[in-house]
Amino acid sequence: MSSSVMNRRVALQRVDTTDSAPSTASNSMAASPNDTPRQSPSSTSLSSLGSTDDIDLQKVNGKMLDTYGNEFKLPDFTIKEIRDAIPAHCYQRSAVRGLAYVARDVASLATVFYLFHNFVTPENIPSTSIRGALWALYTVVQGLFATGVWVLAHECGHQSFSPSKTLNDTVGWVCHSALLVPYFSWKISHGKHHKATGHLERDMVFVPKTREQYASKFGYYVHEVSELAEETPIVTAATLIGQQLGGWLYYLTSNITGHNKHERQPEGRGKGKQNGMFGGVNHFNPSSPLYEAKDEKLILLSDIGLAITLSVLFTIGAKYGIANLTVWYILPYLWVNHWLVAITFLQHTDPSLPHYEPQAWTYTRGAAATIDREFGFIGRHLLHGIIETHVLHHYVSTIPFYNADEASEAIKKVMGEHYRSDVEGGSIGFLKSIWKSARWCQWIEPSEGTVGEAKGVLFYRNRNGHGVPPQKLTVPTAQS
């Protein structure tokens, strides 16, 4: 077990240090260190007071506890320290190497299709059940190779594929369009996710429900949540099945799991719009509040890419039949969606991770609110390390994946015990974490007894008896 793996019985020790300035009404909209000056330590927040002040911040703000019961202390390192720790050659991008990986993955897809199409036939394998099992295996394998292509297009979107923006966007648009992903549309919203990771009012993906939102969803008062019976495993399973099968498409069409503060869109595009089907917030409409007016042509170009792919698929279906199209493309496509949702869910959902109210958020804190996991050979070779080096990716997204392992090792020295990973069980452990996170991470709330800045740091709680129990709130009394 990695020393950074969280265990509900073994408390993690984290470095007790200060943090960079929390966000305010003005700097909460800041993007990233690439876009704005690096923030200096706050001179006003309690978290900025050094040890020489001899003030016990725990007594002042209260103790912050993650879901495991481990005490949480805010990170203090800076982006400059992170960047300086990474060897210079890790930043170097190679177009030739990037294109070679694309060629490898596309060749793998073509080879698997050729072998199955020509050899898994009634003439060679008379047994229908065996052929069916082999073609089922085909959909899984093709789904993994296609997810690898998806990851390479993701690299293009972050400009870590090569030094050429034109090449990056061309390759990314072609690869993502082939997988029915609106390349530029998703690239823009994903960039905003990176600029606001862990920010409850600005993050773009897997923003957890607060206790109030969770109670409202199920028709309870906030104080009743701590008294709810355990969620039955069958409900958890049904929720996960829906998430893994349709979560990606639902996100693209309705911005589900993204923030819902669209009225703040500076151009007024978010007025009257909200997340949900037909709410006006999606990745296909150029007037969506996810984008600015300057993005409209790129959104349309993304839509054109999808239209081309859908036309090709329609032609294939008309010529070879819907059954063949389903096996050749649709089922592998659903596997890609499954892996994408699982990877993203587990990168940002874990009992050890905090989320921040605007007044407590900084870019440095938010980027640390991610976790690395381990998916063995599949993760490191077929999926290009997107699972194993995600913490680094949130600090420096322009480092190519083939240099990410070395860079990750370098930043661990700066992050210390603020770096999080869960590598227990390897690939099987990764899959088990999907269930665990669903059972442990149902809503977020402040740690009991916290005040001030610490009250703006929220952690997962659940109704299933796992980890730190939710706060017991008093029943509100009517005011006369």
Side-chain angles (χ1 to χ4, degrees):
M1 179 186 300
S2 168
S3 60
S4 55
V5 175
M6 310 292 179
N7 186 290
R8 64 185 298 189
R9 296 185 179 87
V10 181
L12 261 186
Q13 296 179 350
R14 296 190 176 94
V15 180
D16 186 6
T17 49
T18 60
D19 187 40
S20 55
S23 63
T24 63
S26 59
N27 68 22
S28 175
M29 295 303 295
S32 72
N34 294 328
D35 305 308
T36 59
R38 180 172 62 84
Q39 298 168 342
S40 59
S42 169
S43 60
T44 56
S45 70
L46 290 171
S47 65
S48 67
L49 299 176
S51 58
T52 56
D53 292 290
D54 197 27
I55 293 179
D56 191 337
L57 296 181
Q58 178 178 310
K59 291 182 179 179
V60 175
N61 277 344
K63 181 184 291 188
M64 294 175 285
L65 297 178
D66 68 17
T67 318
Y68 291 109
N70 300 318
E71 183 178 359
F72 176 83
K73 297 181 180 179
L74 295 167
D76 77 321
F77 48 83
T78 66
I79 300 299
K80 184 178 187 304
E81 290 173 323
I82 290 286
R83 289 182 173 276
D84 288 349
I86 299 171
H89 65 266
C90 289
Y91 293 94
Q92 296 176 3
R93 299 161 291 173
S94 169
V96 172
R97 192 167 183 179
L99 288 170
Y101 277 107
V102 173
R104 185 201 75 172
D105 287 356
V106 172
S108 297
L109 286 165
T111 300
V112 171
F113 177 79
Y114 175 84
L115 292 174
F116 275 77
H117 183 64
N118 286 281
F119 297 104
V120 184
T121 63
E123 294 77 16
N124 295 317
I125 304 176
S127 171
T128 302
S129 59
I130 294 177
R131 281 202 320 278
L134 288 173
W135 277 106
L137 176 63
Y138 164 91
T139 68
V140 176
V141 173
Q142 293 293 73
L144 288 170
F145 283 130
T147 304
V149 174
W150 193 102
V151 172
L152 293 176
H154 164 264
E155 292 266 304
C156 293
H158 282 290
Q159 306 303 311
S160 58
F161 184 79
S162 82
S164 169
K165 185 176 185 299
T166 300
L167 178 63
N168 293 339
D169 285 340
T170 301
V171 173
W173 179 78
V174 170
C175 291
H176 262 174
S177 295
L179 296 170
L180 292 178
V181 178
Y183 171 72
F184 291 104
S185 308
W186 182 80
K187 169 188 171 182
I188 294 168
S189 69
H190 185 65
K192 293 179 179 180
H193 157 62
H194 271 258
K195 293 173 182 178
T197 306
H199 192 299
L200 288 177
E201 296 187 2
R202 288 176 47 221
D203 201 352
M204 300 295 293
V205 64
F206 281 112
V207 178
K209 291 179 177 63
T210 62
R211 179 170 176 151
E212 292 77 12
Q213 291 168 334
Y214 185 87
S216 176
K217 177 182 178 181
F218 294 101
Y220 296 104
Y221 292 108
V222 174
H223 68 273
E224 294 177 321
V225 171
S226 60
E227 307 300 330
L228 294 179
E230 175 184 356
E231 179 179 88
T232 61
I234 193 169
V235 171
T236 306
T239 301
L240 280 176
I241 290 171
Q243 171 182 292
Q244 296 308 120
L245 284 177
W248 172 237
L249 289 175
Y250 197 19
Y251 172 69
L252 291 178
T253 55
S254 67
N255 198 48
I256 194 70
T257 81
H259 79 77
N260 203 19
K261 301 289 184 178
H262 305 296
E263 71 279 358
R264 299 180 181 179
Q265 207 277 345
E267 298 173 341
R269 290 166 161 247
K271 292 180 179 178
K273 297 180 179 179
Q274 60 184 357
N275 294 347
M277 297 301 292
F278 312 112
V281 185
N282 61 65
H283 284 72
F284 309 105
N285 188 346
S287 64
S288 170
L290 299 178
Y291 312 111
E292 286 73 50
K294 64 182 177 63
D295 301 322
E296 288 184 354
K297 292 182 180 179
L298 294 175
I299 309 309
L300 288 173
L301 184 56
S302 300
D303 293 344
I304 291 172
L306 299 182
I308 293 172
T309 300
L310 288 171
S311 298
V312 172
L313 293 175
F314 178 82
T315 302
I316 293 173
K319 184 174 182 178
Y320 298 102
I322 189 64
N324 282 327
L325 179 63
T326 298
V327 175
W328 294 344
Y329 184 93
I330 295 176
L331 292 179
Y333 167 77
L334 291 177
W335 276 112
V336 173
N337 292 0
H338 157 72
W339 291 121
L340 171 60
V341 173
I343 290 166
T344 310
F345 175 62
L346 291 180
Q347 287 168 340
H348 300 285
T349 310
D350 186 81
S352 68
L353 297 181
H355 285 77
Y356 297 93
E357 297 280 5
Q359 71 275 12
W361 181 89
T362 68
Y363 180 86
T364 307
R365 293 175 183 178
T370 57
I371 186 169
D372 288 342
R373 299 185 188 271
E374 178 64 50
F375 201 33
F377 176 86
I378 291 174
R380 293 188 174 275
H381 297 282
L382 300 189
L383 306 185
H384 307 295
I386 194 172
I387 295 168
E388 291 79 10
T389 59
H390 191 68
V391 175
L392 166 78
H393 178 66
H394 266 275
Y395 280 112
V396 191
S397 60
T398 54
I399 290 179
F401 72 90
Y402 42 81
N403 293 333
D405 279 318
E406 181 179 359
S408 291
E409 290 302 316
I411 71 168
K412 289 178 185 179
K413 300 173 184 177
V414 176
M415 296 184 70
E417 291 178 295
H418 296 289
Y419 168 82
R420 292 175 181 79
S421 70
D422 185 350
V423 299
E424 183 179 13
S427 299
I428 300 301
F430 174 82
L431 296 175
K432 286 182 176 179
S433 292
I434 300 175
W435 178 262
K436 178 180 179 180
S437 290
R439 296 289 289 175
W440 283 63
C441 306
Q442 294 185 311
W443 71 84
I444 54 172
E445 62 180 59
S447 298
E448 188 168 7
T450 53
V451 295
E453 185 180 55
K455 195 171 183 179
V457 185
L458 283 63
F459 295 92
Y460 286 107
R461 299 293 185 256
N462 62 80
R463 57 193 279 191
N464 299 323
H466 298 305
V468 175
Q471 295 185 50
K472 293 186 179 297
L473 304 179
T474 57
V475 180
T477 56
Q479 298 292 325
S480 59

